Short mmCIF file of all heavy atoms in Angstrom, two decimals:
data_model
loop_
_atom_site.label_atom_id
_atom_site.label_comp_id
_atom_site.label_asym_id
_atom_site.label_seq_id
_atom_site.Cartn_x
_atom_site.Cartn_y
_atom_site.Cartn_z
N LEU B 46 177.85 102.66 151.14
CA LEU B 46 179.09 102.47 150.38
C LEU B 46 178.99 101.27 149.45
O LEU B 46 179.10 101.38 148.25
CB LEU B 46 180.27 102.28 151.33
CG LEU B 46 180.85 103.56 151.94
CD1 LEU B 46 181.60 103.25 153.23
CD2 LEU B 46 181.78 104.23 150.94
N PHE B 47 178.83 100.09 150.04
CA PHE B 47 178.68 98.86 149.24
C PHE B 47 178.18 97.73 150.13
O PHE B 47 178.19 97.83 151.35
CB PHE B 47 179.99 98.43 148.55
CG PHE B 47 181.26 98.83 149.24
CD1 PHE B 47 181.60 98.34 150.47
CD2 PHE B 47 182.14 99.72 148.62
CE1 PHE B 47 182.77 98.71 151.11
CE2 PHE B 47 183.31 100.10 149.24
CZ PHE B 47 183.63 99.59 150.49
N GLU B 48 177.76 96.66 149.46
CA GLU B 48 177.22 95.50 150.15
C GLU B 48 177.80 94.23 149.55
O GLU B 48 177.95 94.12 148.33
CB GLU B 48 175.69 95.49 150.05
CG GLU B 48 175.01 94.44 150.92
CD GLU B 48 174.49 93.24 150.16
OE1 GLU B 48 174.55 93.25 148.91
OE2 GLU B 48 173.99 92.30 150.80
N TYR B 49 178.15 93.30 150.42
CA TYR B 49 178.71 92.02 149.99
C TYR B 49 177.85 90.88 150.49
O TYR B 49 177.28 90.93 151.58
CB TYR B 49 180.14 91.85 150.54
CG TYR B 49 181.13 92.73 149.83
CD1 TYR B 49 181.35 94.04 150.25
CD2 TYR B 49 181.83 92.28 148.72
CE1 TYR B 49 182.24 94.86 149.59
CE2 TYR B 49 182.73 93.09 148.05
CZ TYR B 49 182.93 94.38 148.49
OH TYR B 49 183.81 95.20 147.83
N PHE B 50 177.77 89.87 149.65
CA PHE B 50 177.05 88.65 150.01
C PHE B 50 177.79 87.49 149.38
O PHE B 50 178.05 87.49 148.17
CB PHE B 50 175.61 88.72 149.49
CG PHE B 50 174.77 87.55 149.88
CD1 PHE B 50 174.14 87.51 151.11
CD2 PHE B 50 174.63 86.47 149.01
CE1 PHE B 50 173.37 86.43 151.47
CE2 PHE B 50 173.86 85.38 149.37
CZ PHE B 50 173.23 85.36 150.60
N SER B 51 178.13 86.52 150.19
CA SER B 51 178.87 85.34 149.70
C SER B 51 180.08 85.75 148.87
O SER B 51 180.30 85.25 147.76
CB SER B 51 177.95 84.43 148.88
OG SER B 51 176.97 83.86 149.71
N GLU B 52 180.86 86.66 149.43
CA GLU B 52 182.14 87.10 148.87
C GLU B 52 182.00 87.92 147.58
O GLU B 52 183.01 88.23 146.93
CB GLU B 52 183.06 85.90 148.62
CG GLU B 52 183.32 85.08 149.87
CD GLU B 52 184.21 83.86 149.59
OE1 GLU B 52 185.37 84.07 149.20
OE2 GLU B 52 183.72 82.73 149.77
N THR B 53 180.78 88.28 147.21
CA THR B 53 180.55 89.05 145.99
C THR B 53 179.93 90.40 146.32
O THR B 53 179.02 90.48 147.14
CB THR B 53 179.62 88.28 145.04
OG1 THR B 53 180.20 87.01 144.72
CG2 THR B 53 179.38 89.07 143.76
N GLN B 54 180.43 91.42 145.66
CA GLN B 54 179.82 92.73 145.84
C GLN B 54 178.53 92.78 145.05
O GLN B 54 178.53 92.68 143.83
CB GLN B 54 180.78 93.84 145.37
CG GLN B 54 180.26 95.24 145.67
CD GLN B 54 181.18 96.34 145.15
OE1 GLN B 54 181.05 96.80 144.03
NE2 GLN B 54 182.12 96.75 145.98
N ARG B 55 177.41 92.99 145.74
CA ARG B 55 176.11 92.99 145.09
C ARG B 55 175.68 94.37 144.63
O ARG B 55 174.96 94.51 143.66
CB ARG B 55 175.02 92.42 146.01
CG ARG B 55 175.12 90.94 146.21
CD ARG B 55 173.80 90.33 146.64
NE ARG B 55 173.32 90.81 147.93
CZ ARG B 55 172.32 90.24 148.59
NH1 ARG B 55 171.69 89.20 148.07
NH2 ARG B 55 171.92 90.71 149.76
N ASN B 56 176.13 95.37 145.38
CA ASN B 56 175.74 96.72 145.02
C ASN B 56 176.74 97.71 145.57
O ASN B 56 177.46 97.42 146.54
CB ASN B 56 174.35 97.04 145.54
CG ASN B 56 173.67 98.13 144.74
OD1 ASN B 56 174.12 98.51 143.66
ND2 ASN B 56 172.59 98.63 145.27
N LYS B 57 176.79 98.87 144.96
CA LYS B 57 177.76 99.87 145.34
C LYS B 57 177.09 101.24 145.33
O LYS B 57 176.30 101.55 144.43
CB LYS B 57 178.94 99.87 144.36
CG LYS B 57 180.14 100.68 144.80
CD LYS B 57 181.27 100.53 143.79
CE LYS B 57 182.57 101.13 144.29
NZ LYS B 57 182.49 102.57 144.55
N GLY B 58 177.41 102.04 146.32
CA GLY B 58 176.90 103.39 146.38
C GLY B 58 177.72 104.34 145.54
O GLY B 58 178.61 103.92 144.79
N ASN B 59 177.42 105.61 145.67
CA ASN B 59 178.06 106.61 144.83
C ASN B 59 179.32 107.16 145.47
O ASN B 59 179.37 108.31 145.90
CB ASN B 59 177.06 107.74 144.55
CG ASN B 59 177.57 108.70 143.51
OD1 ASN B 59 178.39 108.35 142.68
ND2 ASN B 59 177.08 109.93 143.56
N PHE B 60 180.34 106.36 145.53
CA PHE B 60 181.63 106.75 146.09
C PHE B 60 182.72 106.47 145.07
O PHE B 60 182.58 105.57 144.23
CB PHE B 60 181.91 105.97 147.38
CG PHE B 60 181.23 106.54 148.59
CD1 PHE B 60 179.90 106.24 148.86
CD2 PHE B 60 181.92 107.39 149.45
CE1 PHE B 60 179.27 106.77 149.96
CE2 PHE B 60 181.29 107.92 150.57
CZ PHE B 60 179.97 107.60 150.82
N PRO B 61 183.83 107.25 145.14
CA PRO B 61 184.91 107.03 144.16
C PRO B 61 185.60 105.69 144.35
O PRO B 61 185.44 105.02 145.36
CB PRO B 61 185.88 108.19 144.47
CG PRO B 61 185.56 108.63 145.84
CD PRO B 61 184.10 108.37 146.03
N GLY B 62 186.37 105.33 143.33
CA GLY B 62 187.04 104.03 143.32
C GLY B 62 188.08 103.85 144.43
O GLY B 62 188.53 102.73 144.67
N ARG B 63 188.41 104.95 145.11
CA ARG B 63 189.36 104.83 146.23
C ARG B 63 188.77 103.98 147.37
O ARG B 63 189.51 103.49 148.21
CB ARG B 63 189.69 106.22 146.79
CG ARG B 63 190.35 107.17 145.81
CD ARG B 63 190.75 108.47 146.49
NE ARG B 63 189.63 109.23 147.03
CZ ARG B 63 189.37 109.35 148.33
NH1 ARG B 63 190.13 108.75 149.23
NH2 ARG B 63 188.34 110.08 148.72
N PHE B 64 187.47 103.87 147.37
CA PHE B 64 186.78 103.08 148.38
C PHE B 64 186.52 101.68 147.82
O PHE B 64 185.88 101.54 146.77
CB PHE B 64 185.45 103.72 148.77
CG PHE B 64 185.59 105.03 149.49
CD1 PHE B 64 185.83 106.20 148.80
CD2 PHE B 64 185.48 105.08 150.87
CE1 PHE B 64 185.98 107.41 149.46
CE2 PHE B 64 185.62 106.29 151.55
CZ PHE B 64 185.87 107.45 150.84
N SER B 65 187.02 100.69 148.49
CA SER B 65 186.84 99.32 148.02
C SER B 65 186.61 98.41 149.22
O SER B 65 186.82 98.80 150.36
CB SER B 65 188.05 98.86 147.22
OG SER B 65 189.21 98.84 148.05
N GLY B 66 186.20 97.22 148.92
CA GLY B 66 185.96 96.27 149.99
C GLY B 66 186.10 94.86 149.50
O GLY B 66 186.33 94.59 148.31
N ARG B 67 185.97 93.95 150.44
CA ARG B 67 185.96 92.55 150.09
C ARG B 67 185.32 91.76 151.22
O ARG B 67 185.22 92.26 152.36
CB ARG B 67 187.35 92.02 149.80
CG ARG B 67 188.35 92.13 150.93
CD ARG B 67 189.68 91.53 150.54
NE ARG B 67 190.70 91.72 151.56
CZ ARG B 67 191.88 91.08 151.56
NH1 ARG B 67 192.16 90.22 150.59
NH2 ARG B 67 192.77 91.30 152.51
N GLN B 68 184.92 90.56 150.90
CA GLN B 68 184.34 89.69 151.92
C GLN B 68 185.01 88.33 151.82
O GLN B 68 185.26 87.82 150.72
CB GLN B 68 182.83 89.55 151.74
CG GLN B 68 182.16 88.78 152.86
CD GLN B 68 180.66 88.65 152.67
OE1 GLN B 68 180.19 88.55 151.54
NE2 GLN B 68 179.92 88.64 153.76
N PHE B 69 185.26 87.74 152.95
CA PHE B 69 185.93 86.45 153.02
C PHE B 69 184.91 85.32 153.15
O PHE B 69 183.72 85.56 153.38
CB PHE B 69 186.91 86.45 154.18
CG PHE B 69 187.93 87.54 154.10
CD1 PHE B 69 187.74 88.74 154.78
CD2 PHE B 69 189.08 87.40 153.34
CE1 PHE B 69 188.67 89.77 154.70
CE2 PHE B 69 190.02 88.42 153.25
CZ PHE B 69 189.81 89.61 153.93
N SER B 70 185.39 84.12 153.04
CA SER B 70 184.50 82.96 153.05
C SER B 70 183.77 82.80 154.39
O SER B 70 182.71 82.17 154.46
CB SER B 70 185.28 81.68 152.72
OG SER B 70 186.33 81.49 153.64
N ASN B 71 184.33 83.37 155.45
CA ASN B 71 183.66 83.28 156.75
C ASN B 71 182.74 84.48 156.99
O ASN B 71 182.29 84.71 158.11
CB ASN B 71 184.69 83.20 157.87
CG ASN B 71 185.61 84.41 157.93
OD1 ASN B 71 185.49 85.32 157.11
ND2 ASN B 71 186.51 84.43 158.89
N SER B 72 182.46 85.23 155.92
CA SER B 72 181.57 86.40 155.91
C SER B 72 182.19 87.66 156.50
O SER B 72 181.59 88.72 156.39
CB SER B 72 180.23 86.11 156.60
OG SER B 72 179.50 85.16 155.87
N ARG B 73 183.34 87.54 157.11
CA ARG B 73 184.02 88.74 157.60
C ARG B 73 184.35 89.65 156.40
O ARG B 73 184.56 89.16 155.28
CB ARG B 73 185.30 88.37 158.33
CG ARG B 73 185.94 89.51 159.11
CD ARG B 73 187.16 89.02 159.88
NE ARG B 73 188.26 88.62 159.00
CZ ARG B 73 189.16 89.47 158.50
NH1 ARG B 73 189.07 90.77 158.76
NH2 ARG B 73 190.13 89.02 157.73
N SER B 74 184.35 90.95 156.66
CA SER B 74 184.56 91.88 155.55
C SER B 74 185.60 92.94 155.93
O SER B 74 185.80 93.23 157.11
CB SER B 74 183.24 92.56 155.18
OG SER B 74 183.41 93.52 154.16
N GLU B 75 186.24 93.46 154.93
CA GLU B 75 187.15 94.59 155.10
C GLU B 75 186.80 95.65 154.07
O GLU B 75 186.34 95.33 152.98
CB GLU B 75 188.61 94.16 154.88
CG GLU B 75 189.18 93.27 155.96
CD GLU B 75 190.63 92.89 155.70
OE1 GLU B 75 191.10 93.10 154.56
OE2 GLU B 75 191.27 92.37 156.62
N MET B 76 187.01 96.89 154.45
CA MET B 76 186.93 97.95 153.47
C MET B 76 188.24 98.73 153.50
O MET B 76 188.91 98.82 154.53
CB MET B 76 185.75 98.90 153.70
CG MET B 76 185.81 99.77 154.92
SD MET B 76 184.66 101.17 154.78
CE MET B 76 185.52 102.25 153.66
N ASN B 77 188.61 99.23 152.36
CA ASN B 77 189.88 99.93 152.20
C ASN B 77 189.62 101.28 151.56
O ASN B 77 188.79 101.41 150.65
CB ASN B 77 190.82 99.10 151.33
CG ASN B 77 192.18 99.74 151.18
OD1 ASN B 77 192.38 100.62 150.35
ND2 ASN B 77 193.12 99.33 152.02
N VAL B 78 190.31 102.28 152.08
CA VAL B 78 190.27 103.59 151.44
C VAL B 78 191.70 103.97 151.11
O VAL B 78 192.56 104.00 152.01
CB VAL B 78 189.64 104.67 152.34
CG1 VAL B 78 189.46 105.97 151.55
CG2 VAL B 78 188.32 104.20 152.90
N SER B 79 191.98 104.22 149.84
CA SER B 79 193.33 104.56 149.44
C SER B 79 193.43 106.08 149.23
O SER B 79 192.42 106.77 149.09
CB SER B 79 193.70 103.83 148.15
OG SER B 79 192.83 104.22 147.10
N THR B 80 194.67 106.56 149.22
CA THR B 80 194.94 107.98 148.99
C THR B 80 193.97 108.85 149.78
O THR B 80 193.16 109.62 149.24
CB THR B 80 194.84 108.32 147.49
OG1 THR B 80 195.42 107.27 146.70
CG2 THR B 80 195.59 109.61 147.19
N LEU B 81 194.03 108.73 151.08
CA LEU B 81 193.10 109.40 151.97
C LEU B 81 193.09 110.92 151.77
O LEU B 81 194.14 111.55 151.57
CB LEU B 81 193.44 109.08 153.42
CG LEU B 81 193.02 107.69 153.90
CD1 LEU B 81 193.69 107.34 155.21
CD2 LEU B 81 191.51 107.60 154.03
N GLU B 82 191.88 111.47 151.85
CA GLU B 82 191.67 112.91 151.79
C GLU B 82 191.06 113.36 153.11
O GLU B 82 190.47 112.55 153.84
CB GLU B 82 190.74 113.25 150.63
CG GLU B 82 191.25 112.79 149.28
CD GLU B 82 190.24 113.05 148.16
OE1 GLU B 82 189.14 113.57 148.46
OE2 GLU B 82 190.56 112.72 146.99
N LEU B 83 191.19 114.67 153.40
CA LEU B 83 190.64 115.19 154.65
C LEU B 83 189.15 114.89 154.76
O LEU B 83 188.63 114.59 155.84
CB LEU B 83 190.89 116.70 154.74
CG LEU B 83 192.34 117.14 154.83
CD1 LEU B 83 192.41 118.67 154.88
CD2 LEU B 83 193.03 116.54 156.05
N GLY B 84 188.46 114.95 153.63
CA GLY B 84 187.02 114.71 153.61
C GLY B 84 186.61 113.29 153.89
O GLY B 84 185.42 113.00 154.03
N ASP B 85 187.57 112.40 153.98
CA ASP B 85 187.25 111.00 154.29
C ASP B 85 187.09 110.79 155.79
O ASP B 85 186.71 109.70 156.23
CB ASP B 85 188.36 110.07 153.76
CG ASP B 85 188.47 110.09 152.25
OD1 ASP B 85 187.45 110.38 151.59
OD2 ASP B 85 189.57 109.84 151.73
N SER B 86 187.39 111.82 156.56
CA SER B 86 187.19 111.73 158.01
C SER B 86 185.72 111.49 158.28
O SER B 86 184.86 112.29 157.87
CB SER B 86 187.64 113.02 158.69
OG SER B 86 189.03 113.22 158.55
N ALA B 87 185.42 110.41 158.97
CA ALA B 87 184.02 110.02 159.17
C ALA B 87 183.95 108.83 160.10
O ALA B 87 184.96 108.25 160.47
CB ALA B 87 183.38 109.64 157.82
#
Side-chain angles (χ1 to χ4, degrees):
Chain B
L46 280 158
F47 29 64
E48 189 255 355
Y49 287 87
F50 183 85
S51 293
E52 303 179 63
T53 301
Q54 186 182 90
R55 288 202 297 192
N56 204 13
K57 191 177 190 298
N59 189 26
F60 279 82
R63 299 185 297 109
F64 293 81
S65 63
R67 59 178 175 168
Q68 187 180 33
F69 303 96
S70 58
N71 60 359
S72 294
R73 191 177 68 85
S74 177
E75 290 181 346
M76 69 162 284
N77 183 277
V78 187
S79 62
T80 320
L81 284 166
E82 302 175 359
L83 295 179
D85 296 334
S86 295

